[in-house]
Amino acid sequence: MFHVRGLSYRYPKAEVPTIHELNFDIHQGEIFGLLGPSGVGKSTTQKILTKLIRDYEGVVKFRGKSLKDYDKQYFQQIGVGFEMPVHFSKLTAEENLAFFKKLYRSTADTDALLKRVGLYDHRKKKVREYSKGMKIRLNFVRALLNNPLMLFLDEPTNGLDPANARVIKEMIKEFRERGGTVLLTTHLMNDVEELCDRVAFMADGRIVEIDSPKHLKLRDGERTVVVEYEDHEEIKQVSFDLDQLRQNEEFIHIVQHYKILTMHTKETTLEDIFIQTTGVQAHE
């Protein structure tokens, strides 16, 4: 979907580039996470890919064609959900969506989308009366308004309660299952682990790591399994080499003769990887 090589950009009057020599691809039908602490260039990268910034250096191709060769019709193919929802506060949700529908050739069934995110019964309420969470959900509906091929989502579940966050994440997965592609930026590592097929970590305006969350966790984790079990009302814990588990007589004896309380591998977390690769604490 996107092919990016040598992408660099320096803001006017800035002494150093905000992003420098970025190289990555976003495959059709995947959720690609762009992660990193504030100020490393994630938003700038998104602004370039959404054609809000055009005087960049390097090569950016969308569906095999240079992004610079696309005219305004490009916006018919993408949907964007900004982190800070922007709506016409004096209009109702229904009126907001009706206005934006006029900008596109193809539009989605917004009533169905509003029902899905729990806003249908509030569709005739002015947006200024909406809570923060309701505005975030309306923002997500607007990103899907034009049946896009590509979604750019910035912190799509930040500020939502767990139930509404679950709905949004399920809708993102369904969008991918229908062949859609997503560029996701977020500080919520649980969302990354649940949604992303691959992630790119940014630090100091550069990409320092690209891989799937699973591969990163397996690569950086310990090859051990920790077993917690009950022995005559005493809780004990012991670790075993994961690669030798089948032949380990102690492990087999514990499993056969004691009540197992917990058993898990000692893989690292994405938050640990975030800290290691970027040097900055992630937010939960």
Side-chain angles (χ1 to χ4, degrees):
M1 187 63 79
F2 273 102
H3 175 76
V4 178
R5 292 294 180 271
L7 179 61
S8 300
Y9 182 76
R10 181 170 62 86
Y11 284 97
K13 299 182 180 179
E15 295 183 1
V16 296
T18 299
I19 56 174
H20 185 68
E21 294 290 328
L22 301 190
N23 298 299
F24 63 93
D25 294 317
I26 302 176
H27 304 144
Q28 183 174 347
E30 79 168 341
I31 300 176
F32 185 86
L34 189 61
L35 312 177
S38 300
V40 297
K42 302 189 305 296
S43 296
T44 299
T45 303
Q46 275 207 341
K47 287 177 181 178
I48 290 172
L49 299 187
T50 55
K51 287 182 72 72
L52 296 180
I53 292 177
R54 306 191 182 195
D55 55 337
Y56 56 85
E57 296 179 2
V59 174
V60 179
K61 290 185 178 181
F62 176 69
R63 306 181 73 193
K65 176 181 173 181
S66 174
L67 191 60
K68 292 183 177 181
D69 292 337
Y70 281 90
D71 58 17
K72 63 182 180 180
Q73 296 305 313
Y74 173 71
F75 301 107
Q76 301 287 335
Q77 303 181 61
I78 66 171
V80 180
F82 297 106
E83 180 181 2
M84 297 299 294
V86 179
H87 308 287
F88 296 113
S89 61
K90 294 183 179 180
L91 300 181
T92 66
E94 198 171 53
E95 290 168 338
N96 266 274
L97 296 176
F99 173 83
F100 287 106
K101 275 186 172 183
K102 296 176 183 178
L103 302 176
Y104 299 106
R105 294 192 305 268
S106 172
T107 56
D109 182 348
T110 50
D111 281 350
L113 291 173
L114 288 172
K115 289 176 182 177
R116 188 72 186 279
V117 301
L119 292 178
Y120 184 74
D121 292 341
H122 306 279
R123 68 191 185 281
K124 297 187 182 300
K125 182 184 294 185
K126 287 183 170 55
V127 173
R128 67 185 176 193
E129 300 173 16
Y130 272 24
S131 67
K132 178 182 177 182
M134 293 170 74
K135 290 177 181 178
I136 291 171
R137 284 179 277 154
L138 181 60
N139 194 51
F140 183 71
V141 169
R142 200 175 79 183
L144 294 171
L145 183 70
N146 58 319
N147 293 315
L149 300 174
M150 178 82 200
L151 266 181
F152 295 88
L153 298 177
D154 189 7
E155 303 285 0
T157 66
N158 193 22
L160 296 181
D161 61 70
N164 282 312
R166 169 61 51 204
V167 171
I168 296 300
K169 286 188 281 189
E170 288 301 320
M171 293 177 72
I172 294 172
K173 291 178 185 177
E174 291 166 11
F175 178 80
R176 174 184 58 189
E177 290 167 4
R178 295 193 301 269
T181 307
V182 182
L183 175 62
L184 173 70
T185 58
T186 181
H187 286 97
L188 301 177
M189 294 298 108
N190 288 337
D191 285 6
V192 173
E193 188 166 355
E194 183 175 348
L195 294 173
C196 292
D197 300 293
R198 291 187 303 135
V199 294
F201 288 95
M202 292 187 68
D204 299 322
R206 301 174 184 269
I207 290 179
V208 294
E209 188 78 71
I210 297 181
D211 209 335
S212 71
K214 186 67 174 179
H215 286 163
L216 289 169
K217 290 169 67 178
L218 288 174
R219 185 197 67 187
D220 295 342
E222 297 180 29
R223 296 286 297 170
T224 59
V225 60
V226 180
V227 180
E228 189 178 49
Y229 64 98
E230 192 175 275
D231 181 4
H232 298 95
E233 298 185 354
E234 181 182 357
I235 296 176
K236 295 182 178 180
Q237 182 175 292
V238 61
S239 298
F240 299 99
D241 186 333
L242 188 60
D243 297 316
Q244 303 298 323
L245 210 55
R246 183 181 299 178
Q247 295 82 26
N248 193 299
E249 294 182 0
E250 182 185 0
F251 171 78
I252 295 172
H253 178 77
I254 290 173
V255 171
Q256 290 178 340
H257 296 93
Y258 296 97
K259 180 181 178 181
I260 304 300
L261 300 177
T262 64
M263 185 184 302
H264 59 88
T265 55
K266 292 189 66 176
E267 61 184 19
T268 190
T269 66
L270 280 182
E271 181 176 339
D272 291 333
I273 297 169
F274 184 106
I275 295 168
Q276 292 165 9
T277 56
T278 67
V280 178
Q281 179 74 40
H283 300 295
E284 280 290 353

